[in-house]
Amino acid sequence: MAWSRPVGWVLDHVVYRTTVKGRENVPTGGPVIFAGNHISFLDGPVMFGASPRPMHILVKQEMFKGFLGQVLTASGQLPVDRRGDRTALQRCKEVLDAGRCVGILPEGTRGSGAAADINGGVAWLALNSGAPVVPVAILGTRTDAEHLDSVPRPGRRFHVSFGNALTLARRAGESGRASMDRAALEIRAALAGHVQDSIQLSGQPLPFADARQDLTAVAGTPADDH
């Protein structure tokens, strides 16, 4: 997996021009869940390249074919069945239990990236692993009315910002369902707020909300059934 770190850096800083903020907010040791907003198929690789720590990103299992599948496997990315995949979540928990990092795009499908809604896998992982969640704002990978499948031209300016880590735990007397719902709301609020703060600081707006004509290449959770 070590070789993939320089590849991510080249994508962010040679192919594109990526400004990175908030690296100091990422815990330097122990497990971390990176939760990013989702506007483009490049979001996962860009987040990977900008992060101060390597991560294993959930990627839809259909991508694990041929040469690309070999690259994804060799770089430590994790396949997920979007129809529902408890196995993928358990694999992520094992990665976190080993003190490593997992990357998730919890909106599940590409859209405006405002984090108006997220699915529950990230909350399940946070509660069951105890790992802090770092919200990640990714801006510029799709702009204005660009199609969901558009490829940004080389040299475009991207902005990646890592927010303050959020640690969640079950409360005494709280049911498992209530804990999941509360954790998901707190993560969504943290991510949505961080995205808006990053827009103000960078001057880079979100793209227009597009009809979700295609499923994300980097899945947020197994619940991705849009």
Side-chain angles (χ1 to χ4, degrees):
M1 187 175 175
W3 61 267
S4 60
R5 299 281 290 152
V7 173
W9 186 92
V10 168
L11 175 69
D12 276 358
H13 300 290
V14 177
V15 180
Y16 299 103
R17 297 180 298 155
T18 304
T19 299
V20 183
K21 302 290 186 182
R23 283 195 179 103
E24 67 278 6
N25 293 325
V26 178
T28 57
V32 174
I33 300 168
F34 293 90
N37 66 319
H38 200 12
I39 57 179
S40 165
F41 70 93
L42 278 180
D43 295 332
V46 168
M47 179 171 68
F48 182 90
S51 172
R53 295 182 60 187
M55 69 180 79
H56 303 263
I57 299 178
L58 281 174
V59 180
K60 69 177 184 179
Q61 65 181 10
E62 291 86 348
M63 301 295 290
F64 286 79
K65 296 179 180 179
F67 176 72
L68 177 58
Q70 295 176 14
V71 171
L72 289 171
T73 299
S75 63
Q77 309 318 310
L78 303 173
V80 60
D81 185 342
R82 297 167 302 171
R83 297 170 297 181
D85 194 343
R86 298 286 295 185
T87 300
L89 285 179
Q90 188 58 45
R91 190 178 299 118
C92 285
K93 183 178 180 298
E94 292 170 0
V95 168
L96 294 167
D97 289 345
R100 303 198 299 275
C101 303
V102 167
I104 299 179
L105 303 173
E107 289 174 286
T109 56
R110 286 169 276 172
S112 71
D117 189 27
I118 66 172
N119 38 35
V122 65
W124 185 92
L125 278 176
L127 290 172
N128 286 278
S129 70
V133 179
V134 172
V136 186
I138 305 162
L139 302 171
T141 52
R142 188 165 64 86
T143 62
D144 300 326
E146 287 181 334
H147 191 273
L148 290 170
D149 295 328
S150 63
V151 179
R153 291 183 177 181
R156 178 182 289 181
R157 174 72 67 183
F158 296 160
H159 300 272
V160 179
S161 176
F162 298 92
N164 294 318
L166 175 68
T167 300
L168 300 151
R170 288 191 172 89
R171 295 173 179 171
E174 189 176 52
S175 70
R177 181 71 263 171
S179 294
M180 282 278 292
D181 290 344
R182 175 179 55 80
L185 284 173
E186 290 186 30
I187 294 168
R188 190 208 67 78
L191 178 55
H194 183 58
V195 168
Q196 292 304 315
D197 289 345
S198 299
I199 290 170
Q200 294 298 316
L201 290 172
S202 69
Q204 173 66 63
L206 291 170
F208 303 137
D210 199 347
R212 293 183 176 184
Q213 301 168 3
D214 188 18
L215 289 163
T216 180
V218 184
T221 76
D224 183 358
D225 58 358
H226 296 281

PDB file of all heavy atoms in Angstrom, residues 4 8 14 20 25-26 35 44-45 48 63 90 107 116 120 130 143 149 157 162 172 214 224:
ATOM      1  N   SER A   4       1.066   3.481  -3.109  1.00  0.00           N
ATOM      2  CA  SER A   4      -0.111   4.237  -3.542  1.00  0.00           C
ATOM      3  C   SER A   4      -0.131   5.656  -2.983  1.00  0.00           C
ATOM      4  O   SER A   4      -0.796   6.539  -3.526  1.00  0.00           O
ATOM      5  CB  SER A   4      -1.395   3.505  -3.135  1.00  0.00           C
ATOM      6  OG  SER A   4      -1.464   3.340  -1.730  1.00  0.00           O
ATOM      7  N   GLY A   8      -1.186   9.002  -5.068  1.00  0.00           N
ATOM      8  CA  GLY A   8      -2.214   9.949  -4.645  1.00  0.00           C
ATOM      9  C   GLY A   8      -1.695  11.376  -4.612  1.00  0.00           C
ATOM     10  O   GLY A   8      -2.395  12.317  -4.994  1.00  0.00           O
ATOM     11  N   VAL A  14       0.210  17.218  -9.031  1.00  0.00           N
ATOM     12  CA  VAL A  14       0.824  17.300 -10.357  1.00  0.00           C
ATOM     13  C   VAL A  14      -0.261  17.351 -11.435  1.00  0.00           C
ATOM     14  O   VAL A  14      -0.296  18.266 -12.257  1.00  0.00           O
ATOM     15  CB  VAL A  14       1.793  16.122 -10.605  1.00  0.00           C
ATOM     16  CG1 VAL A  14       2.355  16.200 -12.020  1.00  0.00           C
ATOM     17  CG2 VAL A  14       2.919  16.136  -9.578  1.00  0.00           C
ATOM     18  N   VAL A  20      -4.781  21.896   0.531  1.00  0.00           N
ATOM     19  CA  VAL A  20      -5.181  21.033   1.638  1.00  0.00           C
ATOM     20  C   VAL A  20      -5.118  21.819   2.941  1.00  0.00           C
ATOM     21  O   VAL A  20      -4.106  22.445   3.258  1.00  0.00           O
ATOM     22  CB  VAL A  20      -4.275  19.789   1.729  1.00  0.00           C
ATOM     23  CG1 VAL A  20      -4.747  18.868   2.854  1.00  0.00           C
ATOM     24  CG2 VAL A  20      -4.251  19.034   0.398  1.00  0.00           C
ATOM     25  N   ASN A  25      -5.844  18.454  12.210  1.00  0.00           N
ATOM     26  CA  ASN A  25      -7.033  17.929  12.880  1.00  0.00           C
ATOM     27  C   ASN A  25      -7.105  16.406  12.848  1.00  0.00           C
ATOM     28  O   ASN A  25      -7.965  15.822  13.517  1.00  0.00           O
ATOM     29  CB  ASN A  25      -8.300  18.507  12.231  1.00  0.00           C
ATOM     30  CG  ASN A  25      -8.436  19.995  12.455  1.00  0.00           C
ATOM     31  OD1 ASN A  25      -8.074  20.513  13.499  1.00  0.00           O
ATOM     32  ND2 ASN A  25      -8.950  20.700  11.448  1.00  0.00           N
ATOM     33  N   VAL A  26      -6.240  15.779  12.072  1.00  0.00           N
ATOM     34  CA  VAL A  26      -6.254  14.320  11.949  1.00  0.00           C
ATOM     35  C   VAL A  26      -5.401  13.713  13.057  1.00  0.00           C
ATOM     36  O   VAL A  26      -4.215  14.044  13.168  1.00  0.00           O
ATOM     37  CB  VAL A  26      -5.728  13.885  10.572  1.00  0.00           C
ATOM     38  CG1 VAL A  26      -5.690  12.356  10.476  1.00  0.00           C
ATOM     39  CG2 VAL A  26      -6.590  14.472   9.456  1.00  0.00           C
ATOM     40  N   ALA A  35     -14.727  10.800   6.724  1.00  0.00           N
ATOM     41  CA  ALA A  35     -16.045  10.867   6.092  1.00  0.00           C
ATOM     42  C   ALA A  35     -16.102  12.099   5.195  1.00  0.00           C
ATOM     43  O   ALA A  35     -16.131  13.230   5.693  1.00  0.00           O
ATOM     44  CB  ALA A  35     -17.141  10.935   7.150  1.00  0.00           C
ATOM     45  N   GLY A  44     -12.810  10.071  -3.790  1.00  0.00           N
ATOM     46  CA  GLY A  44     -12.049   9.113  -3.000  1.00  0.00           C
ATOM     47  C   GLY A  44     -10.551   9.208  -3.232  1.00  0.00           C
ATOM     48  O   GLY A  44      -9.776   9.358  -2.271  1.00  0.00           O
ATOM     49  N   PRO A  45     -10.089   9.142  -4.484  1.00  0.00           N
ATOM     50  CA  PRO A  45      -8.654   9.276  -4.732  1.00  0.00           C
ATOM     51  C   PRO A  45      -8.067  10.606  -4.265  1.00  0.00           C
ATOM     52  O   PRO A  45      -6.947  10.652  -3.762  1.00  0.00           O
ATOM     53  CB  PRO A  45      -8.551   9.135  -6.261  1.00  0.00           C
ATOM     54  CG  PRO A  45      -9.740   8.339  -6.649  1.00  0.00           C
ATOM     55  CD  PRO A  45     -10.827   8.753  -5.703  1.00  0.00           C
ATOM     56  N   PHE A  48      -7.757  10.496  -0.531  1.00  0.00           N
ATOM     57  CA  PHE A  48      -6.647   9.591  -0.232  1.00  0.00           C
ATOM     58  C   PHE A  48      -5.307  10.301  -0.383  1.00  0.00           C
ATOM     59  O   PHE A  48      -4.425  10.207   0.488  1.00  0.00           O
ATOM     60  CB  PHE A  48      -6.720   8.391  -1.188  1.00  0.00           C
ATOM     61  CG  PHE A  48      -5.669   7.353  -0.978  1.00  0.00           C
ATOM     62  CD1 PHE A  48      -5.879   6.291  -0.125  1.00  0.00           C
ATOM     63  CD2 PHE A  48      -4.462   7.422  -1.654  1.00  0.00           C
ATOM     64  CE1 PHE A  48      -4.905   5.315   0.061  1.00  0.00           C
ATOM     65  CE2 PHE A  48      -3.484   6.465  -1.477  1.00  0.00           C
ATOM     66  CZ  PHE A  48      -3.703   5.404  -0.614  1.00  0.00           C
ATOM     67  N   MET A  63     -15.994  -2.365  -9.430  1.00  0.00           N
ATOM     68  CA  MET A  63     -14.743  -1.774  -9.897  1.00  0.00           C
ATOM     69  C   MET A  63     -13.567  -2.743  -9.787  1.00  0.00           C
ATOM     70  O   MET A  63     -12.509  -2.494 -10.366  1.00  0.00           O
ATOM     71  CB  MET A  63     -14.433  -0.504  -9.095  1.00  0.00           C
ATOM     72  CG  MET A  63     -15.500   0.571  -9.171  1.00  0.00           C
ATOM     73  SD  MET A  63     -15.696   1.246 -10.832  1.00  0.00           S
ATOM     74  CE  MET A  63     -14.165   2.170 -11.001  1.00  0.00           C
ATOM     75  N   GLN A  90     -17.839  -5.134   8.520  1.00  0.00           N
ATOM     76  CA  GLN A  90     -17.042  -5.877   9.484  1.00  0.00           C
ATOM     77  C   GLN A  90     -15.562  -5.819   9.120  1.00  0.00           C
ATOM     78  O   GLN A  90     -14.698  -5.707   9.990  1.00  0.00           O
ATOM     79  CB  GLN A  90     -17.516  -7.326   9.545  1.00  0.00           C
ATOM     80  CG  GLN A  90     -16.884  -8.140  10.654  1.00  0.00           C
ATOM     81  CD  GLN A  90     -17.121  -7.552  12.041  1.00  0.00           C
ATOM     82  OE1 GLN A  90     -18.235  -7.156  12.363  1.00  0.00           O
ATOM     83  NE2 GLN A  90     -16.073  -7.494  12.844  1.00  0.00           N
ATOM     84  N   GLU A 107     -22.543   9.963   1.832  1.00  0.00           N
ATOM     85  CA  GLU A 107     -23.734  10.320   1.065  1.00  0.00           C
ATOM     86  C   GLU A 107     -24.128   9.182   0.129  1.00  0.00           C
ATOM     87  O   GLU A 107     -25.267   9.102  -0.306  1.00  0.00           O
ATOM     88  CB  GLU A 107     -23.481  11.594   0.267  1.00  0.00           C
ATOM     89  CG  GLU A 107     -23.387  12.840   1.116  1.00  0.00           C
ATOM     90  CD  GLU A 107     -22.986  14.053   0.298  1.00  0.00           C
ATOM     91  OE1 GLU A 107     -21.806  14.139  -0.083  1.00  0.00           O
ATOM     92  OE2 GLU A 107     -23.854  14.905   0.045  1.00  0.00           O
ATOM     93  N   ALA A 116     -26.673  16.620   2.770  1.00  0.00           N
ATOM     94  CA  ALA A 116     -28.032  16.770   3.283  1.00  0.00           C
ATOM     95  C   ALA A 116     -28.544  15.461   3.877  1.00  0.00           C
ATOM     96  O   ALA A 116     -29.436  15.466   4.717  1.00  0.00           O
ATOM     97  CB  ALA A 116     -28.963  17.238   2.162  1.00  0.00           C
ATOM     98  N   GLY A 120     -26.210   4.887   6.982  1.00  0.00           N
ATOM     99  CA  GLY A 120     -25.840   4.600   8.353  1.00  0.00           C
ATOM    100  C   GLY A 120     -24.560   3.841   8.606  1.00  0.00           C
ATOM    101  O   GLY A 120     -24.198   3.649   9.765  1.00  0.00           O
ATOM    102  N   GLY A 130     -15.283   2.750  18.078  1.00  0.00           N
ATOM    103  CA  GLY A 130     -14.779   3.814  18.935  1.00  0.00           C
ATOM    104  C   GLY A 130     -13.839   4.766  18.224  1.00  0.00           C
ATOM    105  O   GLY A 130     -13.285   5.674  18.843  1.00  0.00           O
ATOM    106  N   THR A 143     -17.893  20.982 -10.838  1.00  0.00           N
ATOM    107  CA  THR A 143     -18.328  22.363 -10.646  1.00  0.00           C
ATOM    108  C   THR A 143     -19.556  22.681 -11.492  1.00  0.00           C
ATOM    109  O   THR A 143     -19.824  22.025 -12.510  1.00  0.00           O
ATOM    110  CB  THR A 143     -17.212  23.362 -11.017  1.00  0.00           C
ATOM    111  OG1 THR A 143     -16.890  23.206 -12.409  1.00  0.00           O
ATOM    112  CG2 THR A 143     -15.971  23.121 -10.178  1.00  0.00           C
ATOM    113  N   ASP A 149     -20.535  12.327 -14.563  1.00  0.00           N
ATOM    114  CA  ASP A 149     -19.430  11.518 -15.090  1.00  0.00           C
ATOM    115  C   ASP A 149     -18.308  12.364 -15.684  1.00  0.00           C
ATOM    116  O   ASP A 149     -17.381  11.816 -16.276  1.00  0.00           O
ATOM    117  CB  ASP A 149     -19.951  10.564 -16.178  1.00  0.00           C
ATOM    118  CG  ASP A 149     -20.918   9.534 -15.623  1.00  0.00           C
ATOM    119  OD1 ASP A 149     -20.749   9.136 -14.459  1.00  0.00           O
ATOM    120  OD2 ASP A 149     -21.841   9.131 -16.359  1.00  0.00           O
ATOM    121  N   ARG A 157      -8.108  23.549  -9.875  1.00  0.00           N
ATOM    122  CA  ARG A 157      -7.880  23.745  -8.452  1.00  0.00           C
ATOM    123  C   ARG A 157      -8.914  22.972  -7.637  1.00  0.00           C
ATOM    124  O   ARG A 157     -10.115  23.131  -7.828  1.00  0.00           O
ATOM    125  CB  ARG A 157      -7.973  25.228  -8.116  1.00  0.00           C
ATOM    126  CG  ARG A 157      -7.903  25.553  -6.630  1.00  0.00           C
ATOM    127  CD  ARG A 157      -6.514  25.364  -6.066  1.00  0.00           C
ATOM    128  NE  ARG A 157      -5.569  26.329  -6.593  1.00  0.00           N
ATOM    129  CZ  ARG A 157      -4.276  26.336  -6.285  1.00  0.00           C
ATOM    130  NH1 ARG A 157      -3.789  25.397  -5.481  1.00  0.00           N
ATOM    131  NH2 ARG A 157      -3.472  27.233  -6.794  1.00  0.00           N
ATOM    132  N   PHE A 162      -9.777  19.001   6.193  1.00  0.00           N
ATOM    133  CA  PHE A 162     -10.065  18.040   7.249  1.00  0.00           C
ATOM    134  C   PHE A 162     -10.560  18.801   8.477  1.00  0.00           C
ATOM    135  O   PHE A 162      -9.879  19.698   8.989  1.00  0.00           O
ATOM    136  CB  PHE A 162      -8.812  17.229   7.588  1.00  0.00           C
ATOM    137  CG  PHE A 162      -8.302  16.411   6.436  1.00  0.00           C
ATOM    138  CD1 PHE A 162      -7.347  16.938   5.566  1.00  0.00           C
ATOM    139  CD2 PHE A 162      -8.778  15.138   6.194  1.00  0.00           C
ATOM    140  CE1 PHE A 162      -6.873  16.203   4.495  1.00  0.00           C
ATOM    141  CE2 PHE A 162      -8.322  14.390   5.121  1.00  0.00           C
ATOM    142  CZ  PHE A 162      -7.363  14.916   4.275  1.00  0.00           C
ATOM    143  N   ALA A 172     -25.947   5.678  28.120  1.00  0.00           N
ATOM    144  CA  ALA A 172     -26.613   4.769  29.042  1.00  0.00           C
ATOM    145  C   ALA A 172     -28.118   4.798  28.821  1.00  0.00           C
ATOM    146  O   ALA A 172     -28.729   5.874  28.735  1.00  0.00           O
ATOM    147  CB  ALA A 172     -26.290   5.165  30.485  1.00  0.00           C
ATOM    148  N   ASP A 214     -26.031   7.866 -12.149  1.00  0.00           N
ATOM    149  CA  ASP A 214     -25.095   6.759 -12.044  1.00  0.00           C
ATOM    150  C   ASP A 214     -24.734   6.583 -10.590  1.00  0.00           C
ATOM    151  O   ASP A 214     -24.814   7.509  -9.798  1.00  0.00           O
ATOM    152  CB  ASP A 214     -23.825   7.076 -12.848  1.00  0.00           C
ATOM    153  CG  ASP A 214     -22.900   5.879 -12.940  1.00  0.00           C
ATOM    154  OD1 ASP A 214     -23.373   4.754 -12.703  1.00  0.00           O
ATOM    155  OD2 ASP A 214     -21.720   6.093 -13.246  1.00  0.00           O
ATOM    156  N   ASP A 224     -26.125   1.618  -0.135  1.00  0.00           N
ATOM    157  CA  ASP A 224     -26.238   2.454  -1.331  1.00  0.00           C
ATOM    158  C   ASP A 224     -27.130   1.775  -2.346  1.00  0.00           C
ATOM    159  O   ASP A 224     -26.707   0.923  -3.106  1.00  0.00           O
ATOM    160  CB  ASP A 224     -24.842   2.694  -1.926  1.00  0.00           C
ATOM    161  CG  ASP A 224     -24.900   3.616  -3.131  1.00  0.00           C
ATOM    162  OD1 ASP A 224     -25.979   4.042  -3.528  1.00  0.00           O
ATOM    163  OD2 ASP A 224     -23.822   3.888  -3.665  1.00  0.00           O
TER     164      ASP A 224
END
